[in-house]
Amino acid sequence: MALSTERLGLYNPNKPMENRLTDLGPRHFWQYFPPIIQKNYGKWKYHEILEPGILVHVAESGDKVFTVRCGGCRFMTVEHVREICDIADKHCDGYVRFTTRNNIEFMVDSQNKMEALKKDLNSRKHVSGSYKFPIGGTGAGLTNIVHTQGYIHCHTPATDASSMVKAVLDELFDYFQGMTFPAQVRISMACCLNMCGAVHCSDIALLGYHRKPPIVDNEVLDKVCEIPLVIAACPTAAISPTKTEDGKKSVKIKEERCMFCGNCYTMCMAVPLADKVGDCVTIMAGGKVSNRISPPKFSKVVVPGLPNNFPRYPEVCQSVKQILEAYAADANKYERIGDWAERIGWERFFEKTGLPFTEHLIDDYRLAYDTYRTSSQFKYTEASWNVSRAVGGIE
Amino acid sequence: MAFEPREEQKELKYKELRIYSDEELNNYTEEELKGFKIKHEIPVCEELEKGPWPSFVADAKREALHRRKLADDRMMIERDVVEDLLGQLEISFKEGETHWKHGGIVGVFGYGGGVIGRYSDLPDKFPSIAHFHTMRVNQPASKFYSSDYLRSICDLWEYRGSGMMNMHGSTGDIIFLGTFTEQLEPIFYELGHVLQQDLGGSGSNLRTPSCCIGRARCEWACYDTQDMCYELTHYYQDELHRPAFPYKFKFKFDGCPNCCVASIARADMSFIGTWRDKIQVDQKAVKAYTGGEIKPNAGAHAGKDWGAFDIQKEVIDLCPTRCMRMEDGRLEINDAECNRCMHCINVMPQALRPGKDTGVSILLGAKAPILEGAQMSLLTIPFMKVEPPYDNVKENVIEPVWDWWMEEGKNRERLGELIQRQGIQKLLEVLNIPPMPQMVKEPRSNPYIFWKEEDVPGGFKRSIEDYRSRHAR
């Protein structure tokens, strides 16, 4: 049966329940495995990274599958996906795979086929010059940046996602195509605190953040929102009921209690937060999800707020580079950014990266005490001498 | 071993399914694309065409030109959607604010999820994206595809939607970005009847589960992540399509503690592969590593000269439990003390492999920061054998947890927050399991124990008269 071309296809709006098929679930995965994957399923022995972006997996049978990993944009048009299909048809018997981090993986069963595939991929560029299928993203390098929708399709962003990822990856492109770090580096991007991308355990997290309390749209609030839900949505109890001068039911915001999370806006369209200069980019660092050596960790806020300087975000790119360059120069082999920061001490992290330590970086939300240092063990840096000087302890 | 799908899978052949002819698919030249200008001025967007990383703007323009050159009756929504989207994006860059309206309830009959309503707040300027609803399409486990399937999806989506998509969304679905309300049901019918393919989850329901590459191409998968993901997704279709939960709920399946799908950070229920016997050691291969014949960590550090491999420094001293040592040229592991962090296996994949007696650890309650702060999953079930159809997991873990959460969870309260609010003690009761020290990093440092009446000899009922018989006021 072909896909239909009638305006409403197989759907009859007069009988909406007729022939309705539901709960089919996803298609079964097995049919999409290349024959070599089907044959060696569950019988892989080991793997090697032959060069950045190129993996070989060796099966107990001796079979080898060569994978070429390419960076992909999360945002793709059907034209791009069709080109991926052309490549898959030409080199890979029509099979292709995507990774959790928006990379595209093409697999072949011999070294010769891999070389031809690699050459083909490297030759494909957009007319304006960028690579369509840059090879890389493996081993102790930078892999693709996962991200959220941003201005392309979301109603709550505090910055844009696709553009920031493009800007940062252009700057860090050599790291994507190399394996020069002490360990892998995972950067993730979320354009608001909802974090539909769950970036909170990344080596570096880029996070859009609002900095102005909501504006209350008194005209409509009572009509379009449930006031008790709006009030209950606030984690700091900053929202309370009120009446406007002309007697309309609404809410008021205690501004000094607002932490700009935007949860009220998620519940109610009449309290928008977005603002051109208020919205900013927060950078967090030192998180990971792997259990390797040390347990998984949260990322910590290391830059409180950088301007949304579209479309290239030079301040964000600069801060990320400062972190990565200091890390690459100083960390031990196998050390993730968070492990490195913990070994040298966060005071040294700020010294080595050159990122300013401001009061915004000291937790004052719930459980803040867990982050207080209650020890006389510390390292001297310029920041500590500044305190000694300020209190008259030294000249 | 081959797998049996739950239902027979219709074979999808693009040549039988296709909408567009080859001529229509190749309707522009590279020369035309070079000279192509969309109808809006977008200098800020076009700046993003420069640089080596793939440009989404360049890709979008390609689709814009392709749509320009298709005949009017070959697209069921406006041809200008890509151009208008870029136009609106340009304004967002200039104004530093999004132009998508808040929400909007749309969907397909009978489902409470899978479609997310989206409307432009500049409909006069950009009429073709006035409605621009998202549809989530449930991806096959671990995201392998055939070109027949992908090409068919592309034709369907270009014909009835914007031709713009995400491969993939954060949770794992194929995301169709933008169509008009009228086309939602037709797309759903085509997906179901022609492509035998369902929508994914959104809203307060089970979100589309996802898994790592698992046994398809990884030597470390300690259980069949694809099969378990597929089975549980099918088994819980009702929970996925019809919101009845306090908030979203996510399953993610990682084959080993390396956690490639980040289940520990993102899933309300994280399944992480592990083993309970010994790490498999090939001493000959260990020698090959120490002798420099095999590159450590599968060659992951090849971009920098880190010097000769030193097993003492790079493996034994970095082992978090110090349970390894070299003795007479042999690597000895005290497996009882191993916490299965994977480091030694990652460094020497040809010499070391996970054990053979494998299963899963189940961890509960991860979530992003909204609202009470980010949480990672709590180690709850240390080890569990998992075999299809996974009845032990469904009956003893998933369903008791859901029953509790549906009964006690507040509106928009994730499982992790409920565990915090009511305590691990309550979770133990729900799952009918004893406590174990592995559930905490350390025992509590305050003695504020909520003793229950039945814990204390004699109970709580006492008489003040009895007390006063011994103590004057």
Side-chain angles (χ1 to χ4, degrees):
Chain A
M1 182 162 61
L3 289 162
S4 344
T5 50
E6 295 77 29
R7 175 140 212 107
L8 297 180
L10 303 170
Y11 174 63
N12 177 358
N14 299 319
K15 294 181 178 170
M17 299 315 283
E18 194 175 72
N19 294 325
R20 181 165 289 269
L21 283 177
T22 64
D23 301 282
L24 297 174
R27 288 183 63 87
H28 194 253
F29 53 89
W30 187 256
Q31 63 202 299
Y32 299 124
F33 290 160
I36 189 169
I37 297 290
Q38 287 194 349
K39 184 182 159 202
N40 297 293
Y41 192 84
K43 295 175 203 150
W44 296 101
K45 204 168 161 200
Y46 67 91
H47 75 282
E48 275 180 81
I49 305 170
L50 298 176
E51 57 185 276
I54 316 280
L55 303 144
V56 59
H57 286 79
V58 182
E60 280 157 11
S61 65
D63 286 353
K64 290 181 178 180
V65 61
F66 295 85
T67 301
V68 182
R69 181 178 294 169
C70 309
C73 295
R74 165 182 161 140
F75 174 94
M76 268 179 209
T77 71
V78 292
E79 282 292 274
H80 195 70
V81 177
R82 285 174 180 139
E83 187 165 347
I84 291 170
C85 292
D86 291 342
I87 297 166
D89 285 344
K90 190 169 157 198
H91 297 275
C92 317
D93 301 320
Y95 297 98
V96 63
R97 160 176 201 258
F98 293 81
T99 72
T100 303
R101 299 189 73 87
N102 303 127
N103 292 306
I104 306 152
E105 290 187 339
F106 295 101
M107 284 167 236
V108 291
D109 56 13
S110 80
Q111 183 118 23
N112 287 343
K113 288 184 190 170
M114 182 271 282
E115 292 295 340
L117 168 62
K118 209 171 85 180
K119 206 170 145 203
D120 186 354
L121 291 167
N122 278 328
S123 74
R124 291 174 189 258
K125 290 188 171 183
H126 285 292
V127 290
S128 39
S130 62
Y131 283 99
K132 285 176 175 169
F133 303 102
I135 298 172
T138 51
L142 173 68
T143 189
N144 202 348
I145 301 181
V146 287
H147 64 92
T148 54
Q149 296 287 22
Y151 293 160
I152 285 199
H153 213 226
C154 183
H155 63 296
T156 65
T159 185
D160 183 49
S162 311
S163 57
M164 191 186 300
V165 167
K166 163 74 175 150
V168 172
L169 278 167
D170 276 344
E171 287 283 335
L172 304 179
F173 192 70
D174 290 346
Y175 288 126
F176 176 80
Q177 297 209 310
M179 299 192 295
T180 54
F181 286 133
Q184 69 257 52
V185 172
R186 303 269 184 268
I187 305 183
S188 309
M189 195 280 150
C191 43
C192 83
L193 193 63
N194 274 319
M195 282 197 197
C196 57
V199 304
H200 55 281
C201 297
S202 308
D203 292 287
I204 297 180
L206 309 173
L207 175 67
Y209 209 89
H210 301 296
R211 284 187 304 186
K212 293 191 182 182
I215 333 167
V216 181
D217 191 349
N218 288 320
E219 277 304 304
V220 297
L221 191 135
D222 189 34
K223 283 184 234 130
V224 295
C225 309
E226 295 280 350
I227 288 178
L229 285 182
V230 186
I231 293 168
C234 183
T236 61
I239 304 179
S240 52
T242 191
K243 265 196 179 155
T244 61
E245 277 172 19
D246 53 353
K248 286 198 177 74
K249 280 190 195 160
S250 189
V251 298
K252 62 178 191 294
I253 317 271
K254 200 165 198 176
E255 294 185 345
E256 69 275 17
R257 292 184 84 144
C258 179
M259 59 153 180
F260 320 99
C261 69
N263 199 46
C264 53
Y265 184 61
T266 297
M267 300 304 291
C268 171
M269 58 78 79
V271 283
L273 287 88
D275 183 87
K276 182 174 185 166
V277 291
D279 293 354
C280 71
V281 184
T282 295
I283 299 182
M284 302 164 84
K288 70 186 192 92
V289 294
S290 154
N291 288 274
R292 184 176 184 173
I293 305 177
S294 61
K297 320 176 199 285
F298 288 123
S299 314
K300 283 89 183 166
V301 182
V302 295
V303 180
L306 294 170
N308 268 330
N309 205 342
F310 306 114
R312 286 283 169 183
Y313 312 86
E315 299 85 354
V316 174
C317 293
Q318 179 56 35
S319 298
V320 171
K321 274 166 81 173
Q322 278 173 247
I323 299 169
L324 290 179
E325 283 165 10
Y327 164 68
D330 194 61
N332 293 336
K333 194 177 177 185
Y334 307 113
E335 234 171 17
R336 298 285 290 263
I337 289 179
D339 296 325
W340 166 63
E342 284 171 17
R343 176 174 60 82
I344 62 174
W346 282 97
E347 57 264 56
R348 196 66 86 210
F349 170 91
F350 285 96
E351 185 185 65
K352 285 191 184 284
T353 57
L355 298 174
F357 187 84
T358 70
E359 66 179 61
H360 308 99
L361 304 181
I362 300 173
D363 198 351
D364 54 359
Y365 194 56
R366 289 165 201 163
L367 308 177
Y369 177 81
D370 290 353
T371 64
Y372 293 1
R373 193 171 311 185
T374 52
S375 152
S376 62
Q377 298 176 351
F378 66 92
K379 294 180 180 178
Y380 292 113
T381 65
E382 196 49 37
S384 66
W385 297 129
N386 287 342
V387 173
S388 301
R389 254 180 235 118
V391 76
I394 57 172
E395 287 294 303
Chain B
M1 74 201 220
F3 281 88
E4 289 305 313
R6 289 172 71 103
E7 285 171 29
E8 203 183 324
Q9 296 280 286
K10 201 191 289 181
E11 200 182 343
L12 302 181
K13 289 214 164 81
Y14 179 62
K15 63 175 196 276
E16 291 162 12
L17 296 166
R18 65 189 296 171
I19 292 175
Y20 297 109
S21 66
D22 282 344
E23 204 175 31
E24 284 173 308
L25 291 182
N26 300 295
N27 67 0
Y28 62 91
T29 64
E30 192 136 319
E31 280 314 302
E32 285 175 87
L33 187 57
K34 274 181 193 158
F36 177 59
K37 283 267 167 208
I38 71 158
K39 66 186 210 180
H40 307 291
E41 286 294 319
I42 51 163
V44 184
C45 289
E46 279 168 348
E47 161 55 40
L48 293 166
E49 289 191 77
K50 299 172 190 158
W53 187 256
S55 169
F56 69 98
V57 176
D59 182 19
K61 283 168 98 173
R62 196 153 64 139
E63 176 62 11
L65 177 58
H66 186 236
R67 290 182 81 90
R68 276 255 187 122
K69 300 196 71 177
L70 283 173
D72 277 340
D73 62 352
R74 300 297 277 164
M75 293 162 287
M76 296 294 107
I77 69 168
E78 295 291 315
R79 69 168 69 248
D80 292 343
V81 284
V82 186
E83 300 183 42
D84 278 355
L85 182 87
L86 289 173
Q88 180 169 309
L89 181 61
E90 183 79 9
I91 292 185
S92 293
F93 284 147
K94 284 187 184 137
E95 298 181 353
E97 289 166 3
T98 190
H99 281 285
W100 296 108
K101 277 191 199 173
H102 193 285
I105 295 173
V106 288
V108 295
F109 275 109
Y111 277 14
V115 181
I116 295 104
R118 191 63 76 225
Y119 299 89
S120 170
D121 69 11
L122 299 169
D124 297 335
K125 226 177 198 141
F126 305 112
S128 73
I129 55 169
H131 301 204
F132 209 61
H133 310 316
T134 304
M135 299 183 84
R136 294 185 179 166
V137 178
N138 196 151
Q139 82 288 357
S142 72
K143 306 187 182 83
F144 279 83
Y145 294 101
S146 68
S147 57
D148 278 303
Y149 174 84
L150 287 178
R151 287 184 199 276
S152 307
I153 285 276
C154 288
D155 275 21
L156 167 65
W157 183 238
E158 188 165 49
Y159 195 76
R160 299 191 181 275
S162 72
M164 293 179 279
M165 56 214 281
N166 287 152
M167 295 296 284
H168 297 73
S170 305
T171 301
D173 299 278
I174 298 174
I175 308 280
F176 285 172
L177 277 183
T179 192
F180 261 64
T181 308
E182 177 203 71
Q183 286 298 321
L184 295 173
E185 289 286 1
I187 291 166
F188 179 66
Y189 267 72
E190 294 298 303
L191 283 172
H193 288 261
V194 186
L195 301 177
Q196 200 184 8
Q197 167 69 61
D198 209 337
L199 298 179
S202 67
S204 292
N205 59 13
L206 176 64
R207 297 299 183 87
T208 307
S210 71
C211 64
C212 72
I213 192 166
R215 291 184 171 165
R217 202 201 57 202
C218 181
E219 63 270 32
W220 295 327
C222 293
Y223 68 104
D224 199 325
T225 54
Q226 276 104 345
D227 187 63
M228 192 164 172
C229 183
Y230 175 82
E231 167 61 26
L232 293 186
T233 308
H234 275 267
Y235 189 77
Y236 292 117
Q237 281 290 295
D238 193 30
E239 286 75 6
L240 198 149
H241 295 303
R242 295 168 195 89
F245 288 160
Y247 200 16
K248 62 181 97 166
F249 195 94
K250 297 183 180 184
F251 289 145
K252 291 193 191 294
F253 304 89
D254 274 311
C256 83
N258 280 332
C259 282
C260 287
V261 292
S263 66
I264 204 164
R266 320 194 277 168
D268 299 86
M269 198 172 280
S270 324
F271 297 91
I272 302 178
T274 194
W275 63 96
R276 60 172 168 169
D277 55 345
K278 295 181 171 198
I279 292 177
Q280 304 176 62
V281 186
D282 174 348
Q283 296 292 352
K284 231 171 86 187
V286 173
K287 278 209 174 67
Y289 279 103
T290 53
E293 291 154 47
I294 309 175
K295 284 189 224 154
N297 216 110
H301 295 79
K304 183 174 165 180
D305 182 9
W306 292 92
F309 176 61
D310 178 345
I311 194 169
Q312 184 67 38
K313 196 171 128 203
E314 297 186 33
V315 179
I316 296 171
D317 291 349
L318 291 180
C319 170
T321 64
R322 300 288 189 278
C323 69
M324 319 179 92
R325 65 201 156 92
M326 286 301 284
E327 210 171 86
D328 305 329
R330 291 173 60 84
L331 181 68
E332 299 294 339
I333 304 174
N334 179 2
D335 284 275
E337 295 306 308
C338 170
N339 65 9
R340 301 169 310 287
C341 85
M342 292 293 291
H343 175 63
C344 57
I345 297 173
N346 286 327
V347 176
M348 303 192 290
Q350 296 193 46
L352 305 177
R353 305 180 68 181
K356 289 178 175 167
D357 188 0
T358 57
V360 296
S361 298
I362 303 177
L363 292 82
L364 303 182
K367 57 179 278 294
I370 291 278
L371 246 185
E372 293 294 314
Q375 287 181 225
M376 277 188 267
S377 288
L378 155 77
L379 177 63
T380 308
I381 310 293
F383 183 87
M384 191 160 188
K385 294 299 267 187
V386 284
E387 298 295 339
Y390 312 101
D391 286 344
N392 57 345
V393 178
K394 292 172 189 164
E395 290 164 16
N396 304 338
V397 183
I398 296 173
E399 288 162 21
V401 164
W402 279 353
D403 286 346
W404 172 47
W405 179 52
M406 288 167 75
E407 183 70 28
E408 299 283 335
K410 295 194 275 194
N411 181 35
R412 282 173 42 88
E413 184 173 54
R414 293 283 289 269
L415 176 63
E417 290 160 319
L418 175 64
I419 295 172
Q420 274 213 51
R421 183 162 62 83
Q422 297 204 343
I424 293 180
Q425 290 80 354
K426 179 70 191 175
L427 180 64
L428 302 178
E429 210 176 284
V430 165
L431 289 171
N432 195 20
I433 53 174
M436 60 172 185
Q438 288 86 340
M439 287 170 176
V440 292
K441 288 180 187 139
E442 57 191 25
R444 66 195 305 159
S445 49
N446 66 67
Y448 303 149
I449 300 165
F450 289 96
W451 291 103
K452 292 188 190 120
E453 184 164 13
E454 61 268 27
D455 291 338
V456 186
F460 287 172
K461 300 277 174 295
R462 294 182 289 159
S463 97
I464 189 69
E465 289 76 19
D466 176 50
Y467 182 82
R468 286 291 163 226
S469 71
R470 298 186 301 276
H471 305 282
R473 265 191 196 112

